[in-house]
Amino acid sequence: MNLEQRSIARILSTGHAPNIVAEVASDLFARWSGGPLRDLVHLGRYVGSVRQSPGDACIDALLRAAGDTQHTAAIAALAFTGGLAVANARALAVYAALAQRVSEETPQHTPLCVDVAAQLGNARAVAELLAPGGHVLRALVDWALGDEHVAELITEIVYAPATRLAEAERAVHCIHAMAVAQAVAGELEAGQRLENMLSVLESVLHRFIADRSSRPLWPVIVDTLALLYPSVLHHYGREEPPEAFRTACSLVVAHGSDAAVRTLFAGQPSLLMGPGDVGGMRTAVVLFHLDIFEHMAASLSARTIDELVLPLAARYADRDVLVYPGAAWFESAHALILSVLESRSTHELPSLVVWYSDLVLDLYLDRLISPQLLCISYTAAVHATSELSVAWERVNKLLVLVDGFTASGGVRGEVERAKRGELLVVVAELLGAVPLELLPQVMFELERRVGEGDHLLVDHCMGVVLDKVDLARKPVLTKWVWQLRADSKFIGKL
């Protein structure tokens, strides 16, 4: 402080004449220009720490002078009363009223509210005073998203009873516009700003998403999360996203609807494009949607699955995706398809079983997926159908391949024997997946192909019977597999 400011501080903190204290304060607010506003916060805090008397008339005079300020003087008064409120709770109401006015007239100065709230250590009490009208919430989102402490204050304002859905919607649309602008520019959000944006979205979801009138907000929030996902991947990686992001995703999955998903597709062109047409950070946006839809498959209509979700998954489930955009997209697409198979009746999606089982079998034969993934995927596809002809055709396709592998010698023979064994393992898994009417036929065909020394296959059959078949087929399968084990050709080998 310079000499003049020291004199002002002395009068405001120790003066006994309320009219003089008020006049000095009014003059300070009117003449303050260009100086750091945080100096006024510190001054207010100092004055409040000195004037602790409950009946101090000079405090009342100071607050009246601050409340009467206009325009730029109100900004200085906001800073001063904020500091004063830190030390003297009587100043809080005046500070909140000034914050409301400043956030509406000159919102770029609203970050002062964040500083004061952080110093007060009671963001909830401050938020309840700042919430009415939505001006402070909107200004904080516009001007303070990079501030270290803003997430807590915004969260408390969103939860404040006075905050209405319309005000929270404006905040979400503002963040969405920022995310769109960053995506168009091909830029990533900074770490602190990203964290705060995610916290705002999470708090809005927690407070309002169960409200039926908030349904139009769901596609906007999901699209915003998707647009922020490239920044999440950059700062945190795929395995450990921030808590606010995980919670927000869980909430959108829990409260999504079929109509909202269709709206989402209509507003996100990259979801309707092939991988080769989606470039840059937009590929991460697609990855986000693949992961979200995986957890929503059970709640979507057959029409939405068939027209929108499965075509998206199919574009990213083929071999070319392993080259671009990469394995993560490939894996997420297959996880989405498996989720559909596990949660839907294939009467609604009749072509899915044949298409997907053919796809994974071709990928396996070309050595692009592991035997384990083939086993999981092929079994899930067969398990999803109740049509006997389709299920048997899928089993028979494997059997034909098994029989096609010859017992030739050399390296080729070793490879073919390995593939034969891997495919027979898949057939063994189908003991628990085919319709019950086909079980005797699958048992017969599998037993015919169990050769001497195939004790590992028999053990695998036993594992399937113990862990993966339902009660209806367990007795007959248990007897059957024990017969295999007791067969003379396996004695001494098991």
Side-chain angles (χ1 to χ4, degrees):
M1 289 187 182
N2 57 34
L3 184 61
E4 180 184 9
Q5 291 169 342
R6 289 176 184 274
S7 299
I8 293 172
R10 187 161 49 249
I11 294 170
L12 297 180
S13 57
T14 61
H16 297 291
N19 58 331
I20 294 176
V21 169
E23 185 176 345
V24 171
S26 297
D27 184 64
L28 171 67
F29 301 148
R31 292 192 301 112
W32 189 276
S33 63
L37 289 170
R38 282 182 174 80
D39 286 353
L40 280 173
V41 176
H42 295 319
L43 176 59
R45 189 168 185 172
Y46 171 73
V47 171
S49 65
V50 174
R51 292 191 177 275
Q52 291 288 332
S53 173
D56 191 340
C58 290
I59 287 288
D60 295 330
L62 276 171
L63 295 176
R64 282 195 300 273
D68 291 339
T69 53
Q70 299 294 327
H71 307 301
T72 56
I75 299 168
L78 171 65
F80 178 82
T81 54
L84 190 63
V86 173
N88 194 314
R90 291 162 62 190
L92 194 54
V94 176
Y95 154 75
L98 286 167
Q100 293 276 10
R101 193 194 317 161
V102 168
S103 64
E104 186 173 9
E105 296 173 355
T106 54
Q108 65 270 29
H109 294 291
T110 310
L112 279 170
C113 301
V114 182
D115 296 337
V116 172
Q119 293 182 51
L120 283 168
N122 190 352
R124 179 166 300 177
V126 178
E128 290 182 358
L129 293 169
L130 299 180
H135 303 302
V136 175
L137 175 60
R138 187 163 60 251
L140 289 173
V141 171
D142 281 339
W143 293 95
L145 276 178
D147 193 288
E148 182 181 359
H149 303 289
V150 74
E152 181 185 9
L153 181 57
I154 290 180
T155 298
E156 294 296 348
I157 291 177
V158 168
Y159 278 109
T163 299
R164 299 171 301 172
L165 173 60
E167 294 153 5
E169 283 180 335
R170 282 197 295 268
V172 170
H173 281 286
C174 181
I175 292 176
H176 181 256
M178 295 175 188
V180 169
Q182 290 292 92
V184 170
E187 297 174 353
L188 297 168
E189 290 289 355
Q192 184 65 61
R193 181 180 167 88
L194 171 65
E195 189 175 323
N196 291 341
M197 294 168 94
L198 294 172
S199 293
V200 175
L201 297 174
E202 178 198 12
S203 60
V204 171
L205 283 166
H206 265 303
R207 170 78 193 279
F208 293 107
I209 198 62
D211 187 337
R212 292 176 64 89
S213 58
S214 73
R215 287 182 177 177
L217 200 56
W218 188 93
V220 181
I221 292 180
V222 175
D223 194 46
T224 307
L225 290 168
L227 292 168
L228 294 175
Y229 194 46
S231 299
V232 171
L233 292 176
H234 175 76
H235 291 291
Y236 300 96
R238 193 178 181 201
E239 301 303 321
E240 295 184 3
E243 181 66 28
F245 182 81
R246 291 198 300 270
T247 304
C249 290
S250 298
L251 289 168
V252 299
V253 167
H255 295 279
S257 68
D258 194 75
V261 169
R262 298 187 75 87
T263 301
L264 193 65
F265 270 90
Q268 185 56 266
S270 59
L271 297 181
L272 303 174
M273 301 176 183
D277 300 316
V278 181
M281 291 192 295
R282 285 274 169 175
T283 56
V285 172
V286 173
L287 180 61
F288 172 84
H289 286 99
L290 289 169
D291 291 342
I292 285 291
F293 296 148
E294 175 192 348
H295 299 288
M296 294 185 65
S299 64
L300 301 179
S301 70
R303 180 184 170 210
T304 297
I305 292 284
D306 193 37
E307 293 179 357
L308 299 172
V309 174
L310 280 179
L312 170 66
R315 287 191 289 271
Y316 286 84
D318 212 341
R319 67 192 67 219
D320 294 340
V321 174
L322 288 168
V323 178
Y324 176 84
W329 285 257
F330 180 85
E331 291 164 4
S332 289
H334 282 269
L336 172 52
I337 296 169
L338 288 172
S339 179
V340 172
L341 287 168
E342 290 167 3
S343 63
R344 315 296 305 184
S345 165
T346 52
H347 288 299
E348 300 172 309
L349 305 165
S351 62
L352 177 58
V353 168
V354 174
W355 167 77
Y356 187 58
S357 54
D358 280 346
L359 172 67
V360 294
L361 188 55
D362 288 343
L363 290 169
Y364 161 76
L365 293 173
D366 290 339
R367 301 183 181 181
L368 295 173
I369 64 172
S370 67
Q372 292 76 20
L373 182 54
L374 170 68
C375 196
I376 292 168
S377 305
Y378 205 94
T379 304
V382 173
H383 188 267
T385 185
S386 57
E387 297 183 27
L388 299 184
S389 60
V390 173
W392 175 247
E393 193 275 332
R394 297 293 89 194
V395 175
N396 193 55
K397 185 158 188 171
L398 293 178
L399 296 175
V400 169
L401 283 171
V402 166
D403 294 342
F405 290 123
T406 62
S408 60
V411 174
R412 180 177 177 178
E414 288 294 328
V415 171
E416 291 191 346
R417 278 192 293 276
K419 285 199 171 185
R420 180 182 185 277
E422 290 162 359
L423 291 175
L424 283 173
V425 164
V426 179
V427 177
E429 290 284 335
L430 296 182
L431 292 168
V434 295
L436 193 57
E437 298 89 334
L438 291 179
L439 183 59
Q441 194 170 357
V442 176
M443 293 163 58
F444 173 75
E445 296 293 343
L446 186 58
E447 185 174 353
R448 283 181 56 210
R449 289 163 176 82
V450 174
E452 185 171 350
D454 280 346
H455 54 280
L456 293 178
L457 177 59
V458 176
D459 282 348
H460 191 86
C461 291
M462 176 62 80
V464 171
V465 172
L466 291 175
D467 300 328
K468 299 181 180 181
V469 303
D470 55 50
L471 291 176
R473 61 188 79 199
K474 192 178 283 286
V476 66
L477 281 174
T478 301
K479 182 179 179 181
W480 173 75
V481 80
W482 276 108
Q483 267 187 309
L484 286 181
R485 290 175 66 98
D487 191 289
S488 61
K489 60 187 174 186
F490 292 108
I491 293 175
K493 298 181 173 65
L494 298 180

